[in-house]
Amino acid sequence: MFKTLMVAMAGLGLSAAVSAQEVVEGQHYELLDSPVETHVEDGQIEVTEVFWFGCPHCYRLQTPVNKWYETLEDDVSVVKMPATMGGDWNTHATAFYAAESLGIEEELHADFFNAIHQEDQSLTEPDDIAAFFANYGVSEEEAKKALTDFSVRSEVNEAHNRMREMKLMGVPALVIDGRYVVSPSSAGSLENMPKIADSLIEQVRAERAE
């Protein structure tokens, strides 16, 4: 099912930016029946970027979404969440949280994507992942220990539970305030995802101000 979805998304053309007044539920985004608990401080608006390192669409989203992150105001917090659908997905999610536990995730995030999509590395074997981590000041032994750490496994399980609560069947996705889900198909293109998400952030601000 997901492979079919990815093929469909690959054919999406660019659509015009959508203004805040035109953002419509069911057309530009989906509203979750039950909000998902957010992981940010009180008063902050959470933007959760759900991705898989092996997904070409997630890779292509990095440029527009990272430019957008630079424009966000101080009341917005970004949470990156790896998708978990078994197999290589879970392996990459484990790598993400292991890198986070070692304090190197932010530094290697873009490089991990590039290694897979530009250098044809799969990075699905513990030895390969540990060797990759060693480029960021940790030993391969430390990396392998982190990859099997109980706390890392717990993070992967929590991500899996959150993904189910968000009712996500594919990636990439941007989830605003634990309620609004923006996908490439709902936004009309990968490039439009940040624009729709930005409008939803304004909507959340307006709701909180009432």
Short mmCIF file of all heavy atoms in Angstrom, two decimals, residues 67-113:
data_model
loop_
_atom_site.label_atom_id
_atom_site.label_comp_id
_atom_site.label_asym_id
_atom_site.label_seq_id
_atom_site.Cartn_x
_atom_site.Cartn_y
_atom_site.Cartn_z
N LYS A 67 14.40 25.38 5.30
CA LYS A 67 14.32 26.84 5.08
C LYS A 67 13.17 27.42 5.89
O LYS A 67 13.28 28.51 6.46
CB LYS A 67 14.12 27.13 3.58
CG LYS A 67 15.36 26.89 2.74
CD LYS A 67 15.11 27.23 1.28
CE LYS A 67 16.34 27.01 0.43
NZ LYS A 67 16.08 27.29 -1.02
N TRP A 68 12.06 26.69 5.93
CA TRP A 68 10.90 27.15 6.69
C TRP A 68 11.19 27.18 8.18
O TRP A 68 10.82 28.14 8.87
CB TRP A 68 9.72 26.23 6.39
CG TRP A 68 8.48 26.53 7.18
CD1 TRP A 68 7.80 27.72 7.24
CD2 TRP A 68 7.76 25.63 8.03
NE1 TRP A 68 6.71 27.61 8.06
CE2 TRP A 68 6.66 26.34 8.55
CE3 TRP A 68 7.94 24.29 8.37
CZ2 TRP A 68 5.75 25.74 9.43
CZ3 TRP A 68 7.03 23.70 9.23
CH2 TRP A 68 5.94 24.42 9.75
N TYR A 69 11.87 26.16 8.69
CA TYR A 69 12.19 26.13 10.11
C TYR A 69 12.95 27.37 10.55
O TYR A 69 12.77 27.86 11.68
CB TYR A 69 13.03 24.89 10.44
CG TYR A 69 12.29 23.57 10.36
CD1 TYR A 69 12.97 22.37 10.14
CD2 TYR A 69 10.90 23.51 10.49
CE1 TYR A 69 12.30 21.16 10.07
CE2 TYR A 69 10.22 22.30 10.41
CZ TYR A 69 10.93 21.13 10.20
OH TYR A 69 10.26 19.93 10.12
N GLU A 70 13.78 27.89 9.68
CA GLU A 70 14.57 29.08 10.00
C GLU A 70 13.70 30.32 10.18
O GLU A 70 14.14 31.30 10.80
CB GLU A 70 15.62 29.33 8.92
CG GLU A 70 16.69 28.26 8.84
CD GLU A 70 17.65 28.49 7.69
OE1 GLU A 70 17.45 29.47 6.96
OE2 GLU A 70 18.60 27.69 7.54
N THR A 71 12.48 30.29 9.67
CA THR A 71 11.59 31.46 9.75
C THR A 71 10.60 31.37 10.91
O THR A 71 9.88 32.33 11.17
CB THR A 71 10.77 31.60 8.45
OG1 THR A 71 9.80 30.54 8.36
CG2 THR A 71 11.68 31.56 7.23
N LEU A 72 10.56 30.23 11.61
CA LEU A 72 9.56 30.04 12.65
C LEU A 72 9.82 30.93 13.85
O LEU A 72 10.97 31.18 14.23
CB LEU A 72 9.53 28.57 13.09
CG LEU A 72 9.09 27.57 12.03
CD1 LEU A 72 9.19 26.15 12.56
CD2 LEU A 72 7.66 27.86 11.57
N GLU A 73 8.75 31.39 14.46
CA GLU A 73 8.88 32.27 15.63
C GLU A 73 9.18 31.45 16.88
O GLU A 73 9.13 30.22 16.88
CB GLU A 73 7.59 33.08 15.79
CG GLU A 73 7.34 34.02 14.61
CD GLU A 73 6.11 34.89 14.79
OE1 GLU A 73 5.70 35.10 15.96
OE2 GLU A 73 5.56 35.35 13.79
N ASP A 74 9.48 32.16 17.97
CA ASP A 74 9.95 31.49 19.18
C ASP A 74 8.89 30.63 19.86
O ASP A 74 9.23 29.82 20.73
CB ASP A 74 10.45 32.54 20.18
CG ASP A 74 11.72 33.23 19.70
OD1 ASP A 74 12.40 32.66 18.82
OD2 ASP A 74 12.02 34.33 20.20
N ASP A 75 7.63 30.80 19.49
CA ASP A 75 6.59 30.01 20.14
C ASP A 75 6.34 28.68 19.42
O ASP A 75 5.38 27.96 19.75
CB ASP A 75 5.27 30.80 20.24
CG ASP A 75 4.69 31.14 18.87
OD1 ASP A 75 5.43 31.10 17.87
OD2 ASP A 75 3.48 31.45 18.80
N VAL A 76 7.20 28.34 18.47
CA VAL A 76 7.06 27.09 17.72
C VAL A 76 8.27 26.20 17.99
O VAL A 76 9.41 26.66 17.93
CB VAL A 76 6.94 27.34 16.21
CG1 VAL A 76 6.79 26.03 15.46
CG2 VAL A 76 5.77 28.27 15.91
N SER A 77 8.01 24.93 18.31
CA SER A 77 9.08 23.96 18.53
C SER A 77 8.93 22.82 17.54
O SER A 77 7.83 22.29 17.36
CB SER A 77 9.03 23.41 19.96
OG SER A 77 9.32 24.40 20.92
N VAL A 78 10.04 22.44 16.92
CA VAL A 78 10.05 21.36 15.94
C VAL A 78 10.51 20.06 16.60
O VAL A 78 11.52 20.03 17.31
CB VAL A 78 10.97 21.69 14.76
CG1 VAL A 78 11.06 20.51 13.78
CG2 VAL A 78 10.50 22.95 14.05
N VAL A 79 9.74 19.00 16.37
CA VAL A 79 10.10 17.67 16.85
C VAL A 79 10.23 16.75 15.64
O VAL A 79 9.28 16.63 14.86
CB VAL A 79 9.02 17.11 17.81
CG1 VAL A 79 9.34 15.68 18.21
CG2 VAL A 79 8.88 18.00 19.04
N LYS A 80 11.39 16.15 15.46
CA LYS A 80 11.58 15.19 14.37
C LYS A 80 11.25 13.79 14.90
O LYS A 80 11.74 13.39 15.94
CB LYS A 80 13.01 15.24 13.84
CG LYS A 80 13.36 16.57 13.17
CD LYS A 80 14.78 16.54 12.62
CE LYS A 80 15.18 17.89 12.03
NZ LYS A 80 14.40 18.23 10.84
N MET A 81 10.42 13.07 14.15
CA MET A 81 10.01 11.75 14.58
C MET A 81 10.15 10.74 13.44
O MET A 81 9.47 10.86 12.42
CB MET A 81 8.56 11.76 15.08
CG MET A 81 8.16 10.47 15.79
SD MET A 81 6.44 10.49 16.34
CE MET A 81 5.61 9.91 14.86
N PRO A 82 11.04 9.76 13.58
CA PRO A 82 11.18 8.75 12.53
C PRO A 82 9.97 7.83 12.49
O PRO A 82 9.44 7.43 13.53
CB PRO A 82 12.44 8.00 12.94
CG PRO A 82 12.51 8.15 14.42
CD PRO A 82 11.95 9.53 14.71
N ALA A 83 9.54 7.49 11.29
CA ALA A 83 8.40 6.59 11.13
C ALA A 83 8.85 5.15 11.39
O ALA A 83 10.01 4.78 11.17
CB ALA A 83 7.84 6.70 9.72
N THR A 84 7.93 4.34 11.88
CA THR A 84 8.22 2.94 12.20
C THR A 84 7.19 2.05 11.53
O THR A 84 6.04 2.00 11.93
CB THR A 84 8.18 2.71 13.72
OG1 THR A 84 6.91 3.15 14.22
CG2 THR A 84 9.27 3.50 14.42
N MET A 85 7.61 1.37 10.47
CA MET A 85 6.73 0.44 9.77
C MET A 85 7.41 -0.91 9.60
O MET A 85 7.13 -1.65 8.66
CB MET A 85 6.32 1.02 8.41
CG MET A 85 5.37 2.19 8.50
SD MET A 85 4.72 2.66 6.86
CE MET A 85 3.58 3.97 7.32
N GLY A 86 8.32 -1.23 10.52
CA GLY A 86 9.01 -2.50 10.47
C GLY A 86 10.24 -2.47 9.58
O GLY A 86 10.48 -1.50 8.84
N GLY A 87 11.03 -3.52 9.63
CA GLY A 87 12.19 -3.66 8.76
C GLY A 87 13.15 -2.50 8.83
O GLY A 87 13.52 -2.04 9.91
N ASP A 88 13.56 -2.00 7.66
CA ASP A 88 14.54 -0.92 7.58
C ASP A 88 14.03 0.37 8.22
O ASP A 88 14.83 1.18 8.71
CB ASP A 88 14.92 -0.64 6.12
CG ASP A 88 15.69 -1.80 5.49
OD1 ASP A 88 16.14 -2.69 6.24
OD2 ASP A 88 15.84 -1.81 4.25
N TRP A 89 12.73 0.55 8.21
CA TRP A 89 12.15 1.73 8.86
C TRP A 89 12.54 1.75 10.34
O TRP A 89 13.01 2.77 10.86
CB TRP A 89 10.63 1.72 8.75
CG TRP A 89 10.07 1.82 7.38
CD1 TRP A 89 10.22 0.93 6.35
CD2 TRP A 89 9.25 2.87 6.86
NE1 TRP A 89 9.55 1.36 5.24
CE2 TRP A 89 8.93 2.54 5.52
CE3 TRP A 89 8.72 4.05 7.41
CZ2 TRP A 89 8.13 3.35 4.72
CZ3 TRP A 89 7.92 4.86 6.61
CH2 TRP A 89 7.63 4.52 5.28
N ASN A 90 12.33 0.63 11.02
CA ASN A 90 12.65 0.56 12.45
C ASN A 90 14.14 0.64 12.70
O ASN A 90 14.58 1.22 13.70
CB ASN A 90 12.07 -0.73 13.04
CG ASN A 90 10.57 -0.66 13.21
OD1 ASN A 90 9.88 0.09 12.51
ND2 ASN A 90 10.03 -1.46 14.10
N THR A 91 14.93 0.06 11.78
CA THR A 91 16.38 0.16 11.92
C THR A 91 16.83 1.61 11.85
O THR A 91 17.66 2.06 12.66
CB THR A 91 17.08 -0.64 10.80
OG1 THR A 91 16.69 -2.02 10.90
CG2 THR A 91 18.59 -0.54 10.92
N HIS A 92 16.28 2.36 10.92
CA HIS A 92 16.65 3.77 10.80
C HIS A 92 16.10 4.60 11.96
O HIS A 92 16.74 5.57 12.38
CB HIS A 92 16.15 4.34 9.47
CG HIS A 92 16.95 3.88 8.29
ND1 HIS A 92 16.48 3.95 6.99
CD2 HIS A 92 18.19 3.33 8.20
CE1 HIS A 92 17.41 3.49 6.17
NE2 HIS A 92 18.44 3.10 6.88
N ALA A 93 14.93 4.22 12.47
CA ALA A 93 14.39 4.91 13.65
C ALA A 93 15.31 4.66 14.84
O ALA A 93 15.58 5.57 15.64
CB ALA A 93 12.98 4.42 13.95
N THR A 94 15.80 3.43 14.97
CA THR A 94 16.74 3.10 16.04
C THR A 94 18.02 3.91 15.90
O THR A 94 18.55 4.44 16.89
CB THR A 94 17.06 1.60 16.03
OG1 THR A 94 15.86 0.85 16.22
CG2 THR A 94 18.05 1.24 17.13
N ALA A 95 18.50 4.04 14.66
CA ALA A 95 19.70 4.84 14.42
C ALA A 95 19.47 6.30 14.82
O ALA A 95 20.35 6.94 15.42
CB ALA A 95 20.11 4.75 12.95
N PHE A 96 18.29 6.83 14.51
CA PHE A 96 17.97 8.22 14.86
C PHE A 96 18.04 8.42 16.36
O PHE A 96 18.70 9.35 16.84
CB PHE A 96 16.57 8.56 14.35
CG PHE A 96 16.08 9.92 14.78
CD1 PHE A 96 16.37 11.05 14.05
CD2 PHE A 96 15.33 10.06 15.95
CE1 PHE A 96 15.93 12.32 14.45
CE2 PHE A 96 14.88 11.31 16.36
CZ PHE A 96 15.19 12.44 15.62
N TYR A 97 17.37 7.57 17.12
CA TYR A 97 17.32 7.76 18.57
C TYR A 97 18.65 7.40 19.23
O TYR A 97 19.00 7.99 20.27
CB TYR A 97 16.17 6.96 19.17
CG TYR A 97 14.82 7.58 18.87
CD1 TYR A 97 13.88 6.91 18.09
CD2 TYR A 97 14.51 8.85 19.32
CE1 TYR A 97 12.66 7.48 17.80
CE2 TYR A 97 13.29 9.44 19.03
CZ TYR A 97 12.37 8.75 18.26
OH TYR A 97 11.16 9.34 17.96
N ALA A 98 19.40 6.47 18.65
CA ALA A 98 20.73 6.18 19.16
C ALA A 98 21.64 7.39 18.99
O ALA A 98 22.39 7.76 19.91
CB ALA A 98 21.31 4.96 18.46
N ALA A 99 21.57 8.00 17.81
CA ALA A 99 22.37 9.20 17.55
C ALA A 99 21.96 10.33 18.50
O ALA A 99 22.81 11.07 19.01
CB ALA A 99 22.22 9.64 16.10
N GLU A 100 20.68 10.43 18.75
CA GLU A 100 20.18 11.46 19.67
C GLU A 100 20.72 11.22 21.07
O GLU A 100 21.13 12.17 21.76
CB GLU A 100 18.65 11.44 19.66
CG GLU A 100 18.00 12.66 20.27
CD GLU A 100 16.51 12.70 20.03
OE1 GLU A 100 15.79 11.83 20.57
OE2 GLU A 100 16.05 13.59 19.29
N SER A 101 20.73 9.96 21.49
CA SER A 101 21.22 9.64 22.84
C SER A 101 22.71 9.93 22.97
O SER A 101 23.20 10.22 24.07
CB SER A 101 20.94 8.17 23.18
OG SER A 101 21.80 7.30 22.47
N LEU A 102 23.43 9.86 21.87
CA LEU A 102 24.87 10.13 21.86
C LEU A 102 25.18 11.61 21.64
O LEU A 102 26.35 12.02 21.67
CB LEU A 102 25.55 9.31 20.77
CG LEU A 102 25.56 7.78 20.98
CD1 LEU A 102 25.96 7.08 19.69
CD2 LEU A 102 26.50 7.41 22.12
N GLY A 103 24.14 12.40 21.38
CA GLY A 103 24.32 13.84 21.19
C GLY A 103 24.87 14.22 19.84
O GLY A 103 25.43 15.32 19.68
N ILE A 104 24.70 13.35 18.83
CA ILE A 104 25.25 13.64 17.51
C ILE A 104 24.17 13.70 16.42
O ILE A 104 24.49 13.90 15.25
CB ILE A 104 26.31 12.59 17.11
CG1 ILE A 104 25.70 11.18 17.05
CG2 ILE A 104 27.50 12.63 18.06
CD1 ILE A 104 26.65 10.12 16.53
N GLU A 105 22.91 13.52 16.78
CA GLU A 105 21.86 13.41 15.77
C GLU A 105 21.73 14.68 14.94
O GLU A 105 21.64 14.61 13.70
CB GLU A 105 20.52 13.08 16.42
CG GLU A 105 19.50 12.47 15.47
CD GLU A 105 18.96 13.47 14.46
OE1 GLU A 105 18.67 14.63 14.86
OE2 GLU A 105 18.83 13.10 13.27
N GLU A 106 21.73 15.81 15.57
CA GLU A 106 21.54 17.07 14.83
C GLU A 106 22.66 17.26 13.81
O GLU A 106 22.42 17.70 12.68
CB GLU A 106 21.50 18.25 15.80
CG GLU A 106 21.18 19.58 15.13
CD GLU A 106 20.98 20.71 16.12
OE1 GLU A 106 20.86 20.42 17.33
OE2 GLU A 106 20.94 21.87 15.68
N GLU A 107 23.86 16.88 14.20
CA GLU A 107 25.02 17.05 13.31
C GLU A 107 24.99 16.10 12.12
O GLU A 107 25.37 16.46 11.01
CB GLU A 107 26.31 16.83 14.11
CG GLU A 107 27.58 17.06 13.32
CD GLU A 107 28.83 16.79 14.14
OE1 GLU A 107 28.70 16.41 15.33
OE2 GLU A 107 29.93 16.97 13.59
N LEU A 108 24.50 14.86 12.36
CA LEU A 108 24.58 13.86 11.28
C LEU A 108 23.29 13.70 10.48
O LEU A 108 23.27 12.99 9.48
CB LEU A 108 25.02 12.50 11.83
CG LEU A 108 24.10 11.67 12.73
CD1 LEU A 108 22.94 11.03 12.00
CD2 LEU A 108 24.90 10.57 13.43
N HIS A 109 22.21 14.35 10.90
CA HIS A 109 20.90 14.13 10.28
C HIS A 109 20.94 14.28 8.76
O HIS A 109 20.54 13.36 8.02
CB HIS A 109 19.88 15.10 10.88
CG HIS A 109 18.46 14.80 10.52
ND1 HIS A 109 17.69 13.88 11.21
CD2 HIS A 109 17.66 15.28 9.54
CE1 HIS A 109 16.49 13.81 10.67
NE2 HIS A 109 16.44 14.66 9.65
N ALA A 110 21.41 15.40 8.29
CA ALA A 110 21.44 15.64 6.84
C ALA A 110 22.41 14.68 6.15
O ALA A 110 22.13 14.19 5.05
CB ALA A 110 21.84 17.09 6.55
N ASP A 111 23.53 14.37 6.81
CA ASP A 111 24.52 13.48 6.23
C ASP A 111 23.98 12.06 6.10
O ASP A 111 24.31 11.34 5.14
CB ASP A 111 25.79 13.47 7.07
CG ASP A 111 26.52 14.81 7.05
OD1 ASP A 111 26.27 15.60 6.13
OD2 ASP A 111 27.34 15.05 7.95
N PHE A 112 23.17 11.64 7.06
CA PHE A 112 22.57 10.30 7.01
C PHE A 112 21.65 10.19 5.80
O PHE A 112 21.67 9.21 5.05
CB PHE A 112 21.80 10.03 8.31
CG PHE A 112 21.67 8.58 8.67
CD1 PHE A 112 22.59 7.96 9.51
CD2 PHE A 112 20.61 7.82 8.19
CE1 PHE A 112 22.46 6.63 9.86
CE2 PHE A 112 20.47 6.49 8.53
CZ PHE A 112 21.40 5.89 9.37
N PHE A 113 20.83 11.22 5.60
CA PHE A 113 19.98 11.29 4.41
C PHE A 113 20.84 11.24 3.13
O PHE A 113 20.55 10.48 2.20
CB PHE A 113 19.18 12.59 4.40
CG PHE A 113 17.76 12.47 4.88
CD1 PHE A 113 17.31 13.21 5.97
CD2 PHE A 113 16.85 11.64 4.23
CE1 PHE A 113 15.98 13.12 6.41
CE2 PHE A 113 15.54 11.54 4.65
CZ PHE A 113 15.10 12.28 5.75
#
